């Protein structure tokens, strides 16, 4: 059972790592780059990016959340309370990330995608992007701490 809980934690680390790396890139690079382009370019690039990402990123994100929960349960069954608690903490952090994404990021993604698909540049596109940028650092921190907690669950 210990091995299964560790394998689930590894799967959660790998899956969550995909989303974590993406969020860190957005926080460190994308925000600064978008500040230097005009609104039409911002709308086109981010709308297109979100159209593609919103189709491809749910799989690793969902897998990471599920694998963290499974790792927590299996560690508990294996008699590893610290491993269970740290994997459980990772699960909760990932749930908070999902809530931030669903409530703030996803609606903005849809608006930018619709504008890009219609070849329009909304007057408030820059405001939408600022609102999206406002939660990218907290999202990256949540993912990073979740990955760290999952790593600790492997050795606890």
């Amino acid at each position: 059972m210990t091995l299964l809980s560790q394998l689930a934690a590894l799967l959660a680390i790998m899956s969550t790592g995909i989303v974590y790396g993406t969020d860190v890139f957005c926080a460190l690079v994308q925000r600064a780059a978008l500040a230097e382009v005009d609104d039409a370019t911002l709308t086109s690039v981010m709308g297109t990016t979100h159209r593609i990402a919103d189709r491809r990123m749910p799989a690793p994100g969902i897998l990471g959340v599920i694998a963290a929960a499974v790792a927590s349960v299996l560690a508990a069954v294996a008699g590893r309370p610290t491993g269970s608690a740290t994997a459980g903490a990772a699960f909760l952090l990932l749930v908070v990330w999902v809530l931030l994404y669903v409530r703030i990021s996803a609606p903005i993604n849809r608006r930018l995608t619709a504008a890009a698909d219609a070849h329009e540049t909304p007057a408030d596109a820059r405001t939408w992007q600022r609102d999206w940028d406002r939660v990218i650092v907290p999202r990256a921190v949540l993912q990073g701490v979740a990955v760290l907690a999952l790593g600790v669950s492997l050795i606890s």
Side-chain angles (χ1 to χ4, degrees):
M1 202 53 66
T2 294
L3 179 60
L4 289 176
S5 71
Q6 290 171 327
L7 290 172
L10 283 172
L11 179 60
I13 289 169
M14 295 302 294
S15 299
T16 302
I18 293 167
V19 181
Y20 171 59
T22 302
D23 281 1
V24 169
F25 174 83
C26 291
L28 294 178
V29 177
Q30 178 180 284
R31 285 186 316 163
L34 291 175
E36 296 187 21
V37 301
D38 61 76
D39 290 357
T41 302
L42 179 144
T43 302
S44 177
V45 168
M46 292 314 299
T48 302
T49 298
H50 291 312
R51 181 178 353 92
I52 294 167
D54 288 348
R55 283 193 306 245
R56 296 180 181 183
M57 294 302 288
I62 292 166
L63 185 58
V65 173
I66 292 169
V70 169
S72 178
V73 169
L74 291 177
V77 170
R80 298 177 46 243
T82 305
S84 177
T86 53
F91 169 75
L92 293 176
L93 290 164
L94 295 174
V95 168
V96 172
W97 182 96
V98 168
L99 292 173
L100 274 177
Y101 175 79
V102 167
R103 299 193 84 194
I104 298 171
S105 303
I108 296 167
N109 292 2
R110 287 189 295 273
R111 286 185 285 189
L112 284 168
T113 297
D117 289 346
H119 303 287
E120 297 173 355
T121 304
D124 52 355
R126 182 83 41 195
T127 301
W128 296 350
Q129 188 60 44
R130 271 195 295 273
D131 290 344
W132 193 93
D133 289 345
R134 181 173 49 88
V135 295
I136 195 60
V137 170
R139 282 177 37 187
V141 169
L142 287 164
Q143 292 280 330
V145 176
V147 168
L148 179 62
L150 287 162
V152 171
S153 80
L154 289 170
I155 58 173
S156 304

